[in-house]
Every structure is written in structure tokens, then in C-alpha cells.
Amino acid sequence: MNNKKNKLLIYGATGYTGKIIAARAKELNINFEIAGRETNKTRKLAEELAVGYHIFEVDTEDAWKKTLQDKTVLINAAGPFQFTASQAMKACLKAGVHYLDISAELDTYRMAQSLDSEARKAGIQLISGAGLFVSYDALVIHLSKLVSEPEYLKVGFRHYGGFSKGSVLSSKNIADLGILVRKNGAIVNNPEPKSKIFSFGKEEVECMPTPLGGIILSYKSTGIPNIEEFFSLKLPATELPDLTSKNLPDGPTSEERAAGRNGISAELTGKDGKVVKAYVDAPSGYDLTPLSVLAVASRILNNDFKVGYQSPGSAYGEDILKDIPDTYLVDTK
Ligand SMILES: NC(=O)c1ccc[n+]([C@@H]2O[C@H](COP(=O)([O-])OP(=O)(O)OC[C@H]3O[C@@H](n4cnc5c(N)ncnc54)[C@H](OP(=O)(O)O)[C@@H]3O)[C@@H](O)[C@H]2O)c1
């Protein structure tokens, strides 16, 4: 594949998260264009950013072909990804363009996994879940190096900042899956889910059992056979908005995002019973995702990638953490 094109495409750039990704790409002086299915919003954003733009529906193969011909990497920010990932991944395979998305949907991780041999043939790196899970996965890899045979991983994710409309829509198909965990290498339902207290530095927080990306992504990165995940939400406002309302705001304002931080806390037990713990302190979710996916895209634009289906950690290890601004890993006891 041609790595000299050195150009990024952001599809779904007019969404709440896509706009923050595009603004960050501009800040980083990345050579990029945007795309989306809606003419006015896409053109307006392209004018504001002074970048090229393309308007097409996600299943228009010819438009993907034309748009991707001078690109190196795609960031798909158009979620729910159950409706966009397959088309965008296939377009990237055909065009020989690296694929990244910010999905939190387990099915798109499985889809990427199933396209491994095609991605190898096309010479592309395929990562579904290159948003919040970049630092999560780096943390798990860090811990996995501290015990000789990692056996049981428990991760608590404390999200700050509420949800965007797009995340609320996508969360429906995540919730439908039930409480999935990885047990002895297989993904199974947890029949007796229980909450757990995690430490995030000065704060101890009760987190509820919730399947996140690690049961697929961190399993790919480390092969840890038993993984349980937990989630806790902290809102800038005192009350949870009505998530079923048609009048939900697009997402938290930049002030709301800046008022708190995300935390990812993990405990890993080795076969010999040794327990190691650490946490990541990071900007709140909708700031962390753009910083993370652009850290990965920048690596690719600098010719740093591994072909085939990858997780953030299998491609970059814990080293990628240093590319994510204002994000710190702290070892604890
Ligand atoms: N795990 C993470 O790191 C993370 C973090 C943030 C967000 N996310 C996920 O990212 C996704 C987007 O979130 P958001 O906050 O940006 O949502 P949003 O504000 O609703 O934006 C969604 C964007 O995707 C486009 N889109 C949706 N369905 C499409 C389709 N079928 N074909 C073409 N374009 C489509 C929308 O275009 P229109 O405007 O034309 O509808 C819009 O540009 C969600 O799935 C969310 O869960 C994940």
C-alpha cells in the first residue's frame, strides 16, 4: 500500500464527537478531510476548518473508492457503528487504507476480528475501539507485565461528563448483550453480577458490572483468560437527564467536559496469587476519545502500524499512553 499519501479522512465528522476529533486534528496540523452524509452540516464544518469535504451515504461504494484514493487512514466516527462499520471497513480493505473507529460496540470488534486475514492481505491495520480503550488497554498491558502468569483482571471505568445523543443510541445495543465477562478464555454471561469498589487515587467508587471493550480488546492484547468489567458514571449536573427524551442535548458542553476527569482502575491477579493494581487518570470521556484516536492516527501517519486486526494495545503497547495529553498511569498497592 501507498504510505506516502499521508492524509486522514474523518467520516461522521459532523457528529458531537466527530467535531471534537476534527478540531483536534486541525490543532495538530494533520493533513485531513472530512466526510458525512448530510450536505449542509458537512460543508459548513469543512468551511469552518478550511479542509476538503465529501458527502456520501455510508453504503456508496464508488464514493468511498474515490474519497479514499489519496488517504492513508480513516477515522470512522459515525455511530451507532452497527450501521456504518461494515461498509467503512470493507471500503478500507478495498482501498488499502488503515481503519480506525471509536466504537464501544462489541459486535464491531468481532467484525474487525473476522476480517483479520483480509486486512493482512490488504496491508492495513484494522482497529475498532480506538477511542476510550486506548488508555484502558495500555493500563492492562502495563499490569500484565508485572505478574508472571496473568489470570484474573478486574477493571473499573469511571466515566465523567454524561453522554452524547449518539452514545445513548449506541448504548442500547450494548445493554442488550447482558453482563458479559471473559471466563477461562470464552465470553460468557455472568449469572451473578456484583458491584465492586475501585480506587481512583483519592476516591473510592462503587462500579456496576458492565461489559466494556476489554473482554475483546484487552484479551487480544494480553490473552488474560478471565476479565470482568465495571462502570460508574459521574455527571457534571446533579441529575441524570431523561435519556429517552427526544430533546437531549448533543452532549456535554466544553465547560462541562473540562470540569471533571475519567478514571480507569485495574486489578490483576497472577496464577501465584500476586495482585497488582494501577489506575489511569485522564481527561473526561469526550475529550479523551479524540485525543486517543488521534494519537493512534498520528502513529499511522508516521508509518507506525501493524497489519491485520489489532487492538490499541496489540498495535502500540503501553507506550501509546505518552502520546495522549494530560493522561497519567499511577501504580498503587
Ligand atoms: N468509546 C468511545 O471512545 C466513544 C466516545 C465517544 C463516542 N463514541 C461513539 O461514537 C459514536 C458517535 O457519537 P457522537 O457523540 O458523535 O454521536 P452523534 O452526535 O449522534 O453523531 C453521529 C455522527 O454519525 C453520523 N451517522 C450516524 N449514523 C450514520 C449512518 N448510518 N450513515 C452515515 N452517517 C451516520 C451522524 O450523521 P448525521 O448527522 O447525518 O445523522 C453524525 O455525524 C456513538 O456510537 C458513540 O457511542 C464512542
Side-chain angles (χ1 to χ4, degrees), residues 134-146 261 264-266 277-282 317-319 321-322 324 326-332:
V134 178
S135 46
Y136 175 122
D137 214 15
L139 169 66
V140 175
I141 291 187
H142 171 76
L143 288 180
S144 72
K145 292 193 276 189
L146 303 179
R261 299 193 50 90
I264 310 162
S265 177
K277 298 182 189 179
Y279 68 92
V280 163
D281 174 48
E318 68 173 297
D319 187 58
L321 262 186
K322 68 177 190 307
I324 306 175
D326 197 20
T327 299
Y328 313 96
L329 189 153
V330 183
D331 283 300
T332 50

Side-chain angles (χ1 to χ4, degrees), residues 19-31:
K19 271 191 199 155
I20 308 173
I21 296 172
R24 172 72 182 158
K26 188 76 187 173
E27 205 175 274
L28 291 173
N29 257 325
I30 289 175
N31 185 10

Side-chain angles (χ1 to χ4, degrees), residues 11 14-17 37 41 78-79 81 102 132 164 166-167 170 289:
Y11 187 77
T14 60
Y16 172 79
T17 312
R37 64 179 170 180
K41 282 195 276 186
F81 294 94
I102 55 165
L132 294 173
S164 71
S167 293
S170 300
T289 290

